[in-house]
Amino acid sequence: MKRPQRRPAAVDKTFRAFDPQQVLLLPPSLDDWLPEGHLARFVADLVDHVLDLGPVLADYTEKRGYPPYDPRLMLRLLIYGYTTGVRSSRAVERKCVDDVAFRFLAADQAPDFRSIARFRRRHLDALAGLFLQSLRLAQKLGMVKMGRVALDGTKLEANASKHKAMSYGRLVDKEERVEAELAALEAKAAALLADAEATDTAEDEKFGPDGKDVDLPAELDRREKRLARLQAARAQIEAEAAAKALKHAQDKERRRQDRTGTSDEQAVTDASEAAAAKA
């Protein structure tokens, strides 16, 4: 293992201003976080202004209890997440904290993974239809893919002109082709939801029903503890490297003495001290 590099000394060079502790004078606008052409904006408009959310909203009839997350928020996360390859509820929760697109879609809220999974399971039938609507609309707009979901292999033909004559045989062929293409899109939508369920089930078994896939163990989750452990780990690595260099210097000197038929422990000690000075 290479020895860790020591912090470089100050150099006579001007760098761009960098202040990780800087406090923003004004709160950031979520709308400024993403470029105009980002897929997350498309999904937000799709959910907020186009999709028929009636089947989902109709399921909320109980007025008592703690208010649930807005279905629009959850649908934004699921449609964007699943079409971009993020189908783990735990991963969606994490991305609501550290991914700009997810934070934009969630309006800087962070639903926990249990709420995300429960929402999907509760509205599974309605979600299948909403995902199909989303893929069809994206396809109608000429998008060859939505996130990672390819659409160019299932192109739906535009309706024929009312003024264009079409033979019965040709009409039947076209209807059959459109039905097949719709079935292909429906299969893609169903596959997204099935993959999400399988992923959550596997992670429940791996981490436990309430467990999470975290980056850091509990003993490193606080900055003070983390810095202390990092410094201790660095000191340990440096000590191990110094001990290795010391042994290497001693062995090298002894091999030299073996070749020359001499025996000088002081020379071994001197070699050790020289190695320690370089460490």
Side-chain angles (χ1 to χ4, degrees):
M1 178 186 293
K2 292 184 177 180
R3 297 183 59 198
Q5 297 294 320
R6 294 185 179 278
R7 187 179 297 276
V11 296
D12 186 17
K13 177 67 176 179
T14 300
F15 297 102
R16 297 187 185 187
F18 173 65
D19 182 5
Q21 307 303 322
Q22 179 178 350
V23 178
L24 297 177
L25 297 179
L26 295 174
S29 169
L30 291 171
D31 197 55
D32 295 335
W33 289 7
L34 292 175
E36 189 61 35
H38 199 283
L39 178 63
R41 292 187 181 276
F42 174 82
V43 171
D45 289 339
L46 191 66
V47 171
D48 294 353
H49 304 293
V50 180
L51 294 181
D52 178 11
L53 308 186
V56 173
L57 297 175
D59 194 44
Y60 293 94
T61 58
E62 180 60 61
K63 295 183 179 180
R64 294 176 298 178
Y66 193 76
Y69 285 101
D70 192 312
R72 293 173 302 164
L73 181 158
M74 304 298 269
L75 285 168
R76 283 173 163 209
L77 294 179
L78 294 188
I79 292 175
Y80 180 77
Y82 292 1
T83 55
T84 56
V86 183
R87 294 163 197 167
S88 156
S89 295
R90 289 171 174 83
V92 172
E93 177 188 347
R94 290 182 60 183
K95 286 188 173 293
C96 287
V97 175
D98 58 27
D99 185 285
V100 170
F102 280 85
R103 291 182 67 181
F104 167 83
L105 289 168
D108 218 17
Q109 297 185 52
D112 64 276
F113 72 90
R114 302 175 198 82
S115 298
I116 295 168
R118 281 197 301 267
F119 180 87
R120 184 191 65 245
R121 290 162 182 159
R122 177 176 181 175
H123 304 290
L124 189 60
D125 291 340
L127 286 175
L130 291 170
F131 270 84
L132 177 58
Q133 287 182 50
S134 301
L135 297 179
R136 289 190 66 187
L137 286 165
Q139 191 180 63
K140 282 291 187 182
L141 293 177
M143 296 169 62
V144 297
K145 65 177 182 176
M146 185 173 177
R148 296 184 182 180
V149 181
L151 303 174
D152 55 343
T154 51
K155 295 180 180 177
L156 298 174
E157 293 188 42
N159 292 329
S161 169
K162 295 180 180 179
H163 304 290
K164 183 177 180 180
M166 183 177 290
S167 68
Y168 177 77
R170 184 180 174 190
L171 180 61
V172 170
D173 288 344
K174 181 174 181 178
E175 288 178 348
E176 290 178 348
R177 187 162 59 253
V178 169
E179 287 179 1
E181 291 165 349
L182 281 173
L185 279 181
E186 190 172 4
K188 289 176 184 285
L192 293 176
L193 294 168
D195 186 48
E197 179 63 28
T199 300
D200 280 351
T201 299
E203 290 187 350
D204 284 345
E205 294 177 357
K206 180 177 181 180
F207 303 115
D210 297 323
K212 296 184 180 181
D213 180 15
V214 296
D215 288 331
L216 299 175
E219 60 269 22
L220 298 179
D221 61 356
R222 298 293 181 184
R223 186 170 186 267
E224 295 78 8
K225 294 189 295 182
R226 186 163 59 244
L227 289 176
R229 293 290 297 273
L230 280 169
Q231 295 292 353
R234 175 175 175 169
Q236 182 179 0
I237 291 174
E238 290 180 343
E240 291 171 353
K244 184 177 180 180
L246 185 67
K247 186 176 185 305
H248 176 74
Q250 292 173 342
D251 291 345
K252 182 178 179 181
E253 175 59 24
R254 288 197 172 97
R255 287 196 300 271
R256 186 192 68 78
Q257 292 183 20
D258 288 343
R259 289 195 302 270
T260 60
T262 59
S263 178
D264 185 352
E265 283 302 313
Q266 183 58 47
V268 174
T269 301
D270 292 343
S272 300
E273 292 176 350
K278 293 180 180 179

